Every structure is written in structure tokens, then in C-alpha cells.
């Protein structure tokens, strides 16, 4: 390794461009072999750094979403559930509803893939840079109930308001208590203009 290369590595670390270090040797080899001109070399290194940062940010958003599984629409077998409205689901994948702050209700019997589709739509939203949170509705209500007990309710509900998309799985599995209904009302009201996905075994009319 030359003194110049060592100095470059230190400069990249100092300027927090360490993503370039992962591909620096390969890019130098390309440049020395005449495959990259000076400007090309710089552009490709910059793109390497951008790609690294985007990957890190994507993985961070994915962790925060707390999905039960890494479900994608690409991995969903529509043939296994022929009664599902595949065309409508693929239309939802365009995420126009998310960009306009609208919400989605996925309802139907157990086993048709509602949770998979909900998480897959969340995965698509994360790919587009959105913040997402997934949870069973009962878990969310329990979190808020705990907030009343230890006086952290305001903090807990702020964390649920923050994501661009909140996915409430298994909604209305059982009758809500009055405090749960109040918490749910507050959550939905405070999230006005931010999207929800709700999955349920019960029809919206219920």
C-alpha cells in the first residue's frame, strides 16, 4: 500500500466517507488498468458511498419496523389464495395511498395471507424511505395501558404517531374495553394524515 493510498484512507475516515473504503482497492485497480478515468473514479467512489448509506438506512428502518417475518409481495403466492383480489393488492403496491396519507383495511378469514400482504406493503414503504411500525393490535393496546400505569403514556403514543405507516395486525379480535377504545381513538386521531394498515378477520361493517 502506498503512502498516498494510506493518506486517502485516513482522509475518507476523517470525512466519514468510510463506505468508499470497502471498494477502494477494486476501484483503484480499475483506474490503474485504464477502465476508469479520473472523474469516473471519483464518481464511482461517491456512488459506492451513497449505496452504502442507503443500505444502512434501509436496514435500520427494517429493524425499527419489527416485522414478524421479512415478507415481500415478490415472495407471495397469489395462486395459493385465488380468492384474494390480486389486481387490487398489486395496485396497493404502488403506494399512492401512502403518499396521500390514506389508510388500508385488509379483512378476510384466517389463513388467506392478510398479515403477509400487510408486512409486504410495509416492506415496500421502507424501500421508498418511509418509517414503518408493525405490531399486533393487542400488543399496542397493552403498551398504551402500561403507559397509564407508569405515567409514560405520552411518550409511548408519540412513538406510535411518529412512523409514516403504522400496521395494526389482528384488529378487533375481541371486544375493546372503554380505556382501550379511548386509547385507540387517541392514536387514530393523532395520526391524522399518516397512514394505517389494519388487518382483521371481521368485516369493516362490524
Amino acid at each position: 500500500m502506498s503512502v498516498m493510498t494510506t493518506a486517502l484512507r485516513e482522509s475518507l475516515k476523517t470525512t466519514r466517507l468510510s463506505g468508499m473504503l470497502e471498494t477502494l482497492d477494486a476501484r483503484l485497480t480499475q483506474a490503474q488498468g485504464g477502465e476508469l478515468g479520473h472523474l469516473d473514479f471519483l464518481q464511482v467512489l461517491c456512488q459506492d458511498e451513497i449505496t452504502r448509506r442507503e443500505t444502512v438506512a434501509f436496514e435500520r428502518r427494517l429493524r425499527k419496523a419489527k416485522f414478524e417475518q421479512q415478507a415481500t409481495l415478490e415472495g407471495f403466492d397469489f395462486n395459493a389464495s385465488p380468492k384474494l383480489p390480486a389486481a387490487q393488492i398489486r395496485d396497493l403496491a404502488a403506494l399512492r395511498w401512502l403518499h396521500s396519507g390514506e389508510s388500508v383495511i385488509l379483512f378476510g378469514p384466517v389463513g388467506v395471507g392478510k398479515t403477509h400482504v400487510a408486512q409486504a406493503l410495509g416492506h415496500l414503504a421502507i424501500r421508498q424511505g418511509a418509517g414503518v411500525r408493525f405490531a399486533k393490535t393487542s400488543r399496542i393496546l397493552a403498551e398504551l395501558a402500561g403507559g397509564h400505569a407508569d405515567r409514560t403514556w405520552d411518550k409511548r403514543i408519540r412513538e406510535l404517531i411518529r412512523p409514516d405507516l403504522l400496521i395494526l395486525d389482528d384488529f378487533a379480535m375481541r371486544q375493546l374495553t372503554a380505556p382501550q377504545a379511548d386509547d385507540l381513538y387517541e392514536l387514530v386521531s393523532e395520526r391524522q394524515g399518516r397512514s394505517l394498515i389494519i388487518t382483521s378477520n371481521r368485516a369493516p361493517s362490524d
Side-chain angles (χ1 to χ4, degrees), residues 139-160:
R139 178 69 179 271
I140 293 295
L141 293 174
E143 285 185 21
L144 291 175
H148 289 297
D150 63 10
R151 298 183 180 181
T152 61
W153 188 87
D154 288 339
K155 177 182 177 182
R156 296 188 188 204
I157 199 166
R158 281 198 304 271
E159 292 175 353
L160 296 171

Side-chain angles (χ1 to χ4, degrees), residues 9-186:
R9 289 178 179 275
E10 291 304 316
S11 296
L12 292 175
K13 288 180 180 179
T14 301
T15 54
R16 297 183 180 180
L17 296 172
S18 57
M20 296 181 179
L21 293 175
E22 297 176 10
T23 57
L24 178 59
D25 289 338
R27 301 309 183 195
L28 283 171
T29 298
Q30 287 179 293
Q32 291 163 357
E35 297 178 42
L36 296 174
H38 295 95
L39 289 177
D40 293 329
F41 174 73
L42 181 58
Q43 173 61 41
V44 171
L45 271 184
C46 288
Q47 188 57 53
D48 290 339
E49 174 65 20
I50 291 170
T51 299
R52 184 194 69 87
R53 292 188 182 194
E54 289 176 345
T55 299
V56 169
F58 171 78
E59 291 174 348
R60 182 172 60 248
R61 292 193 301 274
L62 205 56
R63 287 194 301 272
K64 286 185 176 181
K66 299 181 180 180
F67 292 134
E68 290 182 339
Q69 61 187 113
Q70 297 307 314
T72 63
L73 282 183
E74 293 89 342
F76 187 75
D77 184 5
F78 285 97
N79 294 324
S81 302
K83 292 184 178 180
L84 280 180
Q88 286 181 280
I89 292 172
R90 290 192 175 98
D91 189 52
L92 289 174
L95 302 184
R96 287 183 290 270
W97 53 273
L98 178 63
H99 301 313
S100 58
E102 298 174 345
S103 296
V104 174
I105 298 176
L106 304 173
F107 69 96
V110 175
V112 296
K114 301 183 300 295
T115 299
H116 185 117
V117 171
Q119 291 181 106
L121 292 173
H123 198 279
L124 286 173
I126 287 174
R127 291 187 217 174
Q128 291 196 11
V132 177
R133 171 75 189 277
F134 169 91
K136 298 293 185 186
T137 304
S138 58
R139 178 69 179 271
I140 293 295
L141 293 174
E143 285 185 21
L144 291 175
H148 289 297
D150 63 10
R151 298 183 180 181
T152 61
W153 188 87
D154 288 339
K155 177 182 177 182
R156 296 188 188 204
I157 199 166
R158 281 198 304 271
E159 292 175 353
L160 296 171
I161 294 168
R162 187 176 299 117
D164 303 296
L165 172 61
L166 177 63
I167 303 173
L168 298 178
D169 193 35
D170 288 339
F171 183 81
M173 290 288 286
R174 56 183 63 87
Q175 187 171 354
L176 300 177
T177 65
Q180 287 176 328
D182 288 341
D183 283 343
L184 187 60
Y185 173 80
E186 290 294 333

